[in-house]
Amino acid sequence: MDFGLAFSYQFKDEVWWKKLLLTGLIALIPIVGPFYLIGWTMEVAGRFAKAQSGDEVELPDINFGQFIVKGLLGAVVSFVYSIPVILFVVPIAIAAFLTADSGPGGSEWIMIVTSVCCGGLALLVSIFTGFLSFVALIELQLKDFKAAFNFKRNFSILKNAIVPYLLVLAVYIIVTPILSMLGSIACGFGVLFTVPYSASILGSFLGQAYKKGSLALPNEAGVLEI
């Protein structure tokens, strides 16, 4: 994992500022903007996943239609992977509904026990399915919609690169708040750069982690031959 590269490759592009600015502006468009940003980030991740040693990865050019479609498909994939988490949240909602009119000292213990048990499990499952969905999104980018749901392969890739994925999560949790704070500069106009820049960092991290996990698969050359 080249963490320094994830923060610096963007500026090797002569028109990096233009690509980030336009991506940031498109991301602000209601409804379609977030889907575009997802698709754009998937493109970055795919480029890093396919890049060979020494290759320079460039920021994607603007492609409104293509990235929106990719983002929509990516959102569907992410939703499917989040279904197990939803199944753990449902009991909490049911318990809250059943105990809403019980009054003080009623069945509050039911709500407490349900929230602790199901809430804790939901958190653990969400972390696992979240990582797995990141793998699936790159499979979608590199291959097709069906490949995103090859759970056995996706789990193998995640298992082979679990440490890089955990490092990605830790670094990104630290970096995102800092970039958000910087984005508030100049009456908030800084977000036009910090939002796509943050997405470009995430894409680089995910692509590198995926590549490490893919190359470790037995009897495969990894994504370089995809």
Side-chain angles (χ1 to χ4, degrees):
M1 293 285 291
D2 190 336
F3 287 93
L5 179 64
F7 292 91
S8 63
Y9 78 93
Q10 302 89 339
F11 307 109
K12 295 179 181 179
D13 192 321
E14 293 183 356
V15 291
W16 64 267
W17 61 272
K18 180 179 179 180
K19 291 181 178 180
L20 290 181
L21 177 59
L22 291 177
T23 301
L25 287 169
I26 295 173
L28 294 178
I29 299 175
I31 302 177
V32 299
F35 291 117
Y36 181 92
L37 188 62
I38 293 173
W40 188 83
T41 306
M42 288 170 55
E43 174 67 25
V44 172
R47 292 186 180 191
F48 271 94
K50 293 187 295 184
Q52 299 187 40
S53 179
D55 287 351
E56 289 191 2
V57 178
E58 294 185 352
L59 290 171
D61 291 316
I62 303 302
N63 194 321
F64 199 77
Q66 183 183 40
F67 292 153
I68 287 179
V69 172
K70 285 184 180 180
L72 286 169
L73 292 175
V76 173
V77 170
S78 297
F79 173 76
V80 173
Y81 276 85
S82 70
I83 290 177
V85 180
I86 296 174
L87 295 178
F88 283 105
V89 174
V90 169
I92 299 177
I94 295 175
F97 175 76
L98 294 177
T99 60
D101 299 325
S102 62
S107 303
E108 292 181 357
W109 64 272
I110 297 177
M111 183 62 193
I112 294 174
V113 172
T114 303
S115 298
V116 171
C117 294
C118 292
L121 289 172
L123 177 60
L124 293 176
V125 172
S126 67
I127 294 174
F128 171 72
T129 57
F131 281 137
L132 202 58
S133 69
F134 285 146
V135 177
L137 289 175
I138 301 182
E139 284 283 281
L140 170 63
Q141 169 67 26
L142 296 178
K143 297 180 180 179
D144 52 35
F145 191 73
K146 181 180 179 180
F149 299 103
N150 187 337
F151 299 107
K152 183 178 179 180
R153 173 183 166 83
N154 294 348
F155 176 74
S156 296
I157 293 174
L158 175 61
K159 181 178 66 174
N160 292 334
I162 187 62
V163 173
Y165 275 108
L166 289 173
L167 289 174
V168 167
L169 177 63
V171 173
Y172 198 70
I173 288 176
I174 296 172
V175 170
T176 300
I178 295 176
L179 291 177
S180 298
M181 181 176 63
L182 292 175
S184 63
I185 297 175
C187 299
F189 286 107
V191 298
L192 296 178
F193 286 100
T194 57
V195 168
Y197 178 59
S198 180
S200 70
I201 293 172
L202 178 61
S204 172
F205 281 155
L206 295 180
Q208 291 186 66
Y210 173 93
K211 182 178 181 180
K212 184 176 181 63
S214 177
L215 290 174
L217 291 177
N219 304 319
E220 289 194 25
V223 297
L224 299 183
E225 293 185 3
I226 290 177

